[in-house]
Amino acid sequence: MNRFIAAVVTGVLMAGSSIAGVTEDELKNDQSITSQVVTNGMGRHLQRYSPLDTLNTENVKRLQPAWAFSLGGEKQRGQETQPLIYDGVMYITGSYSRVYAIDVKTGDELWQYDARLPEGILPCCDVINRGGAIYGDNFYFGTLDARIVALDLKTGDVKWRKKIADYKAGYSYTAAPLIVDGLVITGNSGGEFGIIGEVQARDAETGELVWTRPVIEGHMGTLNGKESTMTGTLNATWPGDLWKTGGGATWLGGSYDSDTDTLVFGAGNPAPWNSHLRGAGTPTEGNTGDNLYAASRIGIDPKTGDIKWHFQTTPREGWDYDGVNEVVAYTDRTGNKRYATADRNGFFYVLNREDGAFVSATPFVKDISWASGIDENGRPIFVEENRPGNPADAADGKKGDVIFASPSFLGGKNWMPMAFSQRTGNFYVPSNEWGMDIWNEPITYKKGAAYLGAGFTIKPNYEDHIGSLKAIDPDTGDIKWEFKNDAPLWGGVMTTAGGLVFTGTPEGKFIAFDDETGEELWSFQTGSGIVGQPITWEQDGEQYVSIVSGWGGAVPLWGGEVAKKVNYLNQGGMVWTFKLPKELAMAN
């Protein structure tokens, strides 16, 4: 009898140990497993919605700090990470390519990893990192010198480290990796340096490349070490050899739709910014000047890297309206499976999930000047006089006509992730109301040098606010409510089944709103601007919420007149964790 029991116990233990750490099923069901957060976006569809309702509109006023953790040292700057929670440990990334493992009960540090960054890295928009990924017993994250690293979850020791691209050519990497069926999926950064945007898939255990998919026409993909298929058709929408330095950085990473088995990645601006050099200012017969697949959303087969479909939000792009903003898979109120994305160009798009086909587009910011609308096929109706002028038409050939464009190149919405509520059916979109003076200049490509061919100055559109958190009905495009903020919003948003919307401001306030009305229900001053991404989880019957604060990112570096407006804000680096104690959850 005792032998039998021992054999059963041994078998159970062996079965449990055969799948160490986080599994594909846990990644797939991350949204519904409320005791952990193991994906960026709180689910690979990036809805950033929690089914937890212990914390709600009635008791959120009792939310209180549980612990705080300092990232320490002099390595501050922007902290744009989203924490991950697994097996009693919080994992976060920090500026300058650092990783911390923290005990979720006490806030004590368990281990820290600092990447050894070389001299001469060329990050475009601050030394930030937007988070990591967990699979098996590994933690994965990218570094500013364009590498992907796998660390041991328990110790922080390096399992493997692989090169994504050459940092000396302007490449870097700042996004959270995506894990699908044992593959680590990464994009790349560096769109301002004439690089080529690409998506790569690696074996999670070994780090070896499985496939690559460049996102600019004319470049060849690979599968299992051999050439696979060309992206698009050579010179179909690019003149001459400009496709070789065509930009399209996949710098925000991607999402995964398990219903259609599709990776969805965004491609950034074409290079250079000067659209006339790329044939986009004045398309010619036989060349549309669309410059595919820059400024696009691209559906990719996760097994092969083949492109399934694409949708270009800004063809003939000339304002630096990257197409990288996250694509969120959701089901609308009538049961249709849709994608939603809020673009830098100021329009909120809804696409069909089966094939990426256009469904609708509506403005989500005011004063859009570059297009008068979107036609029935999803193409913008350009206002041509509001395209930056061609330097070749200028008397001195050095500076094209200056125009005012709205939104600015930092976008109606930039990288900061929106959230979808399954409770209300609405999206909650962090946006900014600003414009820019912009002009084109001559430029030639030089490896590792900025490749813009443009100059600009960003300006606020209104005196009373720049930032604007908007509740948007995706079925109609109607804005249900709006929260206005003096400084630009640059942090992520989260929604919950308890009727709450969480986000933070550059002024340091972490805020909970009523998802139906937009009423501010609770706030906490974190001491530094919030550009991070909130999460929530359940532990020992209590609901926790965390946010990383630390001002930085692109605004103070590229913001022109706006940067001067916010130059008083303090940098920092702190994880704040809050909880609703059991004894207060039911209190009157």
Side-chain angles (χ1 to χ4, degrees):
M1 185 67 176
N2 288 339
R3 291 180 188 173
F4 174 77
I5 293 174
V8 170
V9 171
T10 301
V12 169
L13 290 174
M14 290 179 64
S17 64
S18 64
I19 302 176
V22 174
T23 66
E24 171 65 21
D25 280 345
E26 286 179 291
L27 297 176
K28 181 178 180 179
N29 297 300
D30 190 34
Q31 186 177 73
S32 61
I33 305 174
T34 57
S35 60
Q36 62 187 37
V37 179
V38 293
T39 60
N40 182 269
M42 298 169 61
R44 293 181 296 194
H45 46 35
L46 307 187
Q47 289 184 359
R48 299 182 182 272
Y49 169 80
S50 171
L52 287 171
D53 60 4
T54 303
L55 183 67
N56 54 54
T57 56
E58 297 298 319
N59 60 28
V60 67
K61 61 189 175 185
R62 301 186 180 97
L63 190 63
Q64 57 188 235
W67 53 261
F69 175 87
S70 173
L71 274 64
E74 298 178 356
K75 293 181 177 180
Q76 302 296 341
R77 307 293 294 267
Q79 308 295 347
E80 295 186 359
T81 189
Q82 180 210 287
L84 299 178
I85 307 290
Y86 180 68
D87 196 22
V89 180
M90 175 184 288
Y91 300 90
I92 65 164
T93 60
S95 55
Y96 294 96
S97 306
R98 295 172 291 167
V99 181
Y100 299 83
I102 306 165
D103 186 309
V104 294
K105 290 185 178 180
T106 64
D108 293 338
E109 180 178 306
L110 300 176
W111 56 258
Q112 178 180 341
Y113 172 82
D114 283 43
R116 295 180 179 178
L117 297 174
E119 297 291 331
I121 55 173
L122 298 167
C124 148
C125 307
D126 206 356
V127 290
I128 56 87
N129 191 287
R130 298 189 176 97
I134 300 176
Y135 181 67
D137 57 2
N138 292 341
F139 179 87
Y140 305 87
F141 87 114
T143 64
L144 285 167
D145 59 341
R147 295 181 184 274
I148 178 73
V149 183
L151 304 175
D152 186 286
L153 275 180
K154 298 297 184 184
T155 66
D157 293 339
V158 175
K159 295 281 195 72
W160 53 258
R161 183 191 295 111
K162 300 292 183 180
K163 178 179 175 181
I164 294 173
D166 180 9
Y167 74 89
K168 294 180 181 178
Y171 287 90
S172 55
Y173 186 59
T174 56
L178 179 64
I179 311 290
V180 177
D181 290 329
L183 296 177
V184 182
I185 317 291
T186 56
N188 61 21
S189 305
E192 273 52 70
F193 295 92
I195 58 88
I196 294 300
E198 186 172 80
V199 181
Q200 298 180 352
R202 284 182 164 78
D203 182 284
E205 285 301 310
T206 66
E208 296 304 311
L209 270 175
V210 176
W211 55 258
T212 65
R213 173 51 53 194
V215 300
I216 297 296
E217 278 183 347
H219 295 271
M220 295 295 298
T222 66
L223 177 62
N224 297 322
K226 299 179 180 179
E227 285 190 350
S228 57
T229 55
M230 179 182 288
T231 301
T233 303
L234 180 63
N235 290 131
T237 65
W238 287 85
D241 288 340
L242 282 171
W243 58 275
K244 293 181 179 179
T245 51
T250 50
W251 59 265
L252 195 51
S255 59
Y256 174 65
D257 177 15
S258 60
D259 288 345
T260 62
D261 192 26
T262 304
L263 300 169
V264 187
F265 270 74
N269 58 283
W273 288 17
N274 184 340
S275 63
H276 301 280
L277 289 177
R278 297 182 270 102
T282 52
T284 60
E285 185 176 350
N287 191 318
T288 64
D290 285 356
N291 302 142
L292 291 171
Y293 292 121
S296 298
R297 308 306 198 277
I298 304 169
I300 299 174
D301 186 322
K303 296 178 179 62
T304 65
D306 288 340
I307 293 177
K308 293 182 168 186
W309 53 262
H310 81 277
F311 178 78
Q312 191 170 37
T313 44
T314 316
R316 299 180 55 213
E317 202 284 313
W319 303 265
D320 189 37
Y321 294 149
D322 282 26
V324 298
N325 288 1
E326 75 280 10
V327 176
V328 180
Y330 73 104
T331 302
D332 70 15
R333 295 181 180 89
T334 56
N336 297 304
K337 293 183 178 181
R338 302 299 197 201
Y339 292 124
T341 186
D343 198 79
R344 287 260 283 260
N345 68 22
F347 289 93
F348 184 92
Y349 293 84
V350 176
L351 307 177
N352 178 45
R353 265 207 263 165
E354 289 298 326
D355 53 9
F358 175 73
V359 175
S360 67
T362 51
F364 68 93
V365 293
K366 309 175 187 72
D367 304 322
I368 294 173
S369 68
W370 67 278
S372 60
I374 306 296
D375 71 19
E376 62 183 8
N377 298 311
R379 287 186 69 88
I381 304 167
F382 291 101
V383 180
E384 290 295 348
E385 57 267 31
N386 287 337
R387 177 182 295 273
N390 188 351
D393 296 335
D396 60 4
K398 293 182 179 179
K399 184 176 180 179
D401 290 341
V402 180
I403 59 99
F404 180 78
S406 181
S408 79
F409 76 88
L410 289 178
K413 176 183 170 304
N414 199 278
W415 82 276
M416 56 279 194
M418 64 184 182
F420 173 73
S421 172
Q422 294 181 13
R423 202 185 83 86
T424 65
N426 294 328
F427 279 86
Y428 299 85
V429 181
S431 66
N432 291 301
E433 303 283 355
W434 48 18
M436 62 180 171
D437 290 332
I438 183 171
W439 59 92
N440 285 325
E441 302 168 343
I443 189 75
T444 55
Y445 173 77
K446 181 180 178 181
K447 181 180 177 180
Y451 189 46
L452 300 185
F456 47 82
T457 301
I458 294 180
K459 302 177 177 181
N461 283 358
Y462 303 101
E463 291 186 2
D464 67 334
H465 75 289
I466 300 173
S468 169
L469 176 66
K470 298 179 173 79
I472 298 177
D473 183 333
D475 297 340
T476 64
D478 292 342
I479 295 173
K480 302 306 228 178
W481 56 260
E482 178 182 14
F483 163 77
K484 295 179 179 179
N485 194 69
D486 184 51
L489 294 181
W490 210 252
V493 182
M494 175 182 70
T495 64
T496 76
L500 300 171
V501 177
F502 285 90
T503 196
T505 72
E507 294 90 343
K509 284 182 68 177
F510 187 40
I511 309 174
F513 300 91
D514 184 300
D515 63 7
E516 294 280 6
T517 68
E519 179 186 357
E520 185 176 322
L521 302 175
W522 171 90
S523 70
F524 182 88
Q525 176 54 248
T526 65
S528 182
I530 294 174
V531 294
Q533 309 165 58
I535 62 164
T536 188
W537 76 98
E538 189 175 47
Q539 180 180 312
D540 300 327
E542 296 176 316
Q543 188 171 348
Y544 286 72
V545 178
S546 278
I547 186 68
V548 180
S549 73
W551 171 239
V555 174
L557 297 175
W558 292 75
E561 292 183 16
V562 172
K564 296 176 184 177
K565 184 179 175 71
V566 297
N567 62 8
Y568 70 94
L569 296 172
N570 293 318
Q571 290 187 346
M574 198 79 133
V575 185
W576 286 97
T577 295
F578 308 87
K579 75 171 182 175
L580 180 67
K582 290 179 183 178
E583 63 272 17
L584 297 180
M586 302 302 294
N588 293 324

